[in-house]
Amino acid sequence: MCKDYVYDKDIEQIAKEEQGEALKLQASTSTELSHQQCSVPGIGEKYPTWETTKPELELLGHNPRRRRITSSFTIGLRGLINLGNTCFMNCIVQALTHTPILRDFFLSDRHRCEMPSPELCLVCEMSSLFRELYSGNPSPHVPYKLLHLVWIHARHLAGYRQQDAHEFLIAALDVLHRHCKGDDVGKVANNPNHCNCIIDQIFTGGLQSDVTCQACHGVSTTIDPCWDISLDLPGSCTSFWPMSPGRESSVNGESHIPGITTLTDCLRRFTRPEHLGSSAKIKCGSCQSYQESTKQLTMNKLPVVACFHFKRFEHSAKQRRKITTYISFPLELDMTPFMASSKESRMNGQLQLPTNSGNNENKYSLFAVVNHQGTLESGHYTSFIRHHKDQWFKCDDAVITKASIKDVLDSEGYLLFYHKQVLEHESEKVKEMNTQAY
């Protein structure tokens, strides 16, 4: 009647009894340790700070051995059971759980849950999911609780219909972002309108929109937060910015082959000036009159993880179809040409590309690719993830197999995940560029 989702009553009763026993045990433990805050590891409660003692430091000095990561290292490689057309969720989960900074955040138990109902907190469930996937257990994991929470918090994704992986990614980030707001970290933000939670720290970039009046050349600038960049493809109803036939470019290590569109081509089109036309006149702040204008998008602030979404699913008044155009994408990507600070290098809508920018803070490394096979009506999602160094694996629900770099780069590509090679951090309010992500 209320459209809610329920479990089997017997299982629900058993769960309540077990939870009651756990609470009794926790209460007795907290009485003994009233001067400390402690709880079951991993559920995000606060712990007393561990201060190393002199004997411990000496022991560490005498035992400098660390766990080595070899080519046969499999911790973190764990399949996910398909619960009925849930491959769209599984492929995104694999990408998120192999996002380096997000992995480090959850595996170090940084989440502090302050929601009134922790059992409904998606961040708590993600924390549990990270522990499961990095436990070393080789058997596939069943993400039923994650699916249940997604159904509760994102009703449009509920049910066993095939959903869009990109739509799930945005919905998951949105719910995680909202549930992170109770974190201590999320509360510490210089701008009250900006959340400083782990999701925003990793995925949020700044997209700058410059609207230039054609009469007085006055520029109106707005900067909006974004979690991903959606790119048009050649062959879509939207007109595509054509490349000069036969012209070669070496941007981002991509050797342009006539007839093959690259990720850089798509980013060029995304950041090119666009004439809005006479039917879309805007009121100029300088002229105080309605004038024709041009609009240009650039990146004002780059995120730690850049996600690119190819618009392969086209829904128009005339038809619904999937665009299968192959798009070439590189292992390493330099976003410098698409920054707002690089606008002066644009002339007449064409980008003058530097031969070697040498700007390492804008360079990214590919670490995950989500693919879609099939048609709009009947399809299947898989993902490639970079485990470490050049070790790639294909994740097909419960099955994980070794993949080559060629397999990754030859794939069709639907969602591309790139991680910054160099991370920024503030030390005494001075930004330093000395933390290597890879």
Side-chain angles (χ1 to χ4, degrees):
M1 291 295 292
C2 66
K3 306 292 185 184
D4 197 5
Y5 301 95
V6 294
Y7 292 114
D8 181 271
K9 290 183 178 179
D10 293 336
I11 296 179
E12 191 75 21
Q13 182 60 35
I14 294 170
K16 286 181 179 178
E17 291 173 1
E18 291 293 328
Q19 187 179 30
E21 291 298 322
L23 288 173
K24 289 179 184 177
L25 179 63
Q26 185 177 347
S28 62
T29 307
S30 60
T31 303
E32 296 172 9
L33 303 174
S34 57
H35 65 288
Q36 296 180 354
Q37 286 180 297
C38 68
S39 184
V40 181
I43 64 172
E45 295 295 335
K46 294 178 181 177
Y47 283 77
T49 303
W50 173 49
E51 297 291 344
T52 54
T53 63
K54 187 176 180 180
E56 288 171 339
L57 289 173
E58 290 176 353
L59 282 171
L60 287 172
H62 292 308
N63 298 276
R65 291 184 300 171
R66 299 290 183 268
R67 188 167 193 168
R68 292 181 179 274
I69 296 180
T70 64
S71 59
S72 60
F73 188 78
T74 58
I75 300 296
L77 296 175
R78 190 174 182 185
L80 296 168
I81 295 293
N82 191 316
L83 300 174
N85 283 332
T86 57
C87 56
F88 71 92
M89 178 181 77
N90 290 347
C91 65
I92 296 300
V93 168
Q94 292 289 3
L96 292 179
T97 52
H98 286 86
T99 301
I101 294 191
L102 200 63
R103 175 197 63 206
D104 295 347
F105 175 85
F106 280 111
L107 293 184
S108 58
D109 198 39
R110 296 279 301 282
H111 174 50
R112 306 283 186 261
C113 184
E114 296 185 10
M115 285 188 64
S117 302
E119 68 275 6
L120 296 179
C121 177
L122 189 63
V123 191
C124 287
E125 176 55 25
M126 281 298 292
S127 181
S128 174
L129 196 62
F130 269 87
R131 292 198 310 276
E132 288 290 344
L133 266 62
Y134 284 89
S135 66
N137 188 338
S139 63
H141 178 63
V142 187
Y144 67 93
K145 189 173 181 182
L146 175 67
L147 181 64
H148 180 242
L149 289 178
V150 168
W151 284 7
I152 291 174
H153 297 297
R155 295 278 181 174
H156 62 290
L157 295 174
Y160 289 105
R161 301 181 307 277
Q162 177 62 270
Q163 304 288 352
D164 181 14
H166 174 248
E167 191 175 5
F168 174 80
L169 170 67
I170 298 304
L173 292 179
D174 178 58
V175 177
L176 288 169
H177 157 74
R178 286 190 277 118
H179 289 188
C180 274
K181 284 188 174 180
D183 275 11
D184 294 335
V185 179
K187 292 176 181 175
V188 183
N190 297 326
N191 184 349
N193 298 320
H194 173 69
C195 175
N196 198 35
C197 70
I198 188 63
I199 299 301
D200 274 324
Q201 288 184 49
I202 295 175
F203 294 96
T204 300
L207 187 63
Q208 179 169 317
S209 174
D210 294 317
V211 178
T212 306
C213 174
Q214 294 297 284
C216 69
H217 302 291
V219 180
S220 173
T221 299
T222 57
I223 300 173
D224 295 309
C226 64
W227 279 332
D228 70 325
I229 297 176
S230 292
L231 301 169
D232 290 315
L233 301 180
S236 66
C237 292
T238 309
S239 58
F240 190 77
W241 186 33
M243 295 292 295
S244 301
R247 186 172 65 84
E248 293 188 357
S249 63
S250 58
V251 190
N252 292 318
E254 297 172 334
S255 180
H256 185 263
I257 303 173
I260 294 183
T261 305
T262 67
L263 173 60
T264 302
D265 294 337
C266 296
L267 286 169
R268 286 184 192 177
R269 184 195 182 282
F270 182 79
T271 56
R272 84 197 192 290
E274 178 185 3
H275 186 64
L276 297 181
S278 56
S279 61
K281 290 184 178 181
I282 62 167
K283 187 174 183 179
C284 176
S286 301
C287 300
Q288 293 299 313
S289 61
Y290 287 91
Q291 301 288 345
E292 291 189 23
S293 59
T294 59
K295 179 181 178 181
Q296 185 174 11
L297 297 174
T298 49
M299 294 303 298
N300 176 271
K301 174 183 176 293
L302 290 174
V304 173
V305 170
C307 175
F308 301 104
H309 162 232
F310 292 135
K311 296 180 182 178
R312 294 201 175 275
F313 305 126
E314 191 169 68
H315 303 271
S316 63
K318 294 182 179 179
Q319 61 180 341
R320 296 173 66 253
R321 65 185 181 121
K322 178 187 174 185
I323 301 171
T324 58
T325 306
Y326 171 69
I327 306 295
S328 171
F329 51 91
L331 285 173
E332 294 193 347
L333 176 70
D334 187 356
M335 287 293 290
T336 303
F338 312 108
M339 297 288 293
S341 56
S342 301
K343 279 186 62 178
E344 61 271 13
S345 67
R346 297 175 181 274
M347 297 176 61
N348 302 320
Q350 296 292 328
L351 182 62
Q352 288 188 334
L353 298 162
T355 54
N356 185 10
S357 64
N359 203 358
N360 289 327
E361 70 256 34
N362 297 333
K363 290 185 178 180
Y364 287 79
S365 292
L366 183 72
F367 73 92
V369 179
V370 171
N371 288 287
H372 178 271
Q373 293 89 35
T375 63
L376 272 176
E377 292 74 23
S378 176
H380 180 60
Y381 286 102
T382 60
S383 59
F384 288 105
I385 56 96
R386 189 176 111 163
H387 190 45
H388 58 89
K389 294 185 178 178
D390 292 326
Q391 299 289 325
W392 285 87
F393 290 85
K394 182 179 180 179
C395 302
D396 187 351
D397 288 332
V399 180
I400 296 183
T401 54
K402 188 77 182 293
S404 67
I405 293 177
K406 186 177 186 301
D407 293 333
V408 177
L409 298 181
D410 286 348
S411 65
E412 191 177 86
Y414 179 51
L415 298 173
L416 307 178
F417 293 84
Y418 284 86
H419 199 291
K420 254 191 175 185
Q421 292 182 357
V422 178
L423 301 183
E424 299 175 6
H425 68 90
E426 289 189 9
S427 177
E428 297 180 358
K429 298 185 179 181
V430 177
K431 285 190 176 181
E432 298 177 349
M433 311 294 297
N434 60 4
T435 303
Q436 295 290 334
Y438 284 99

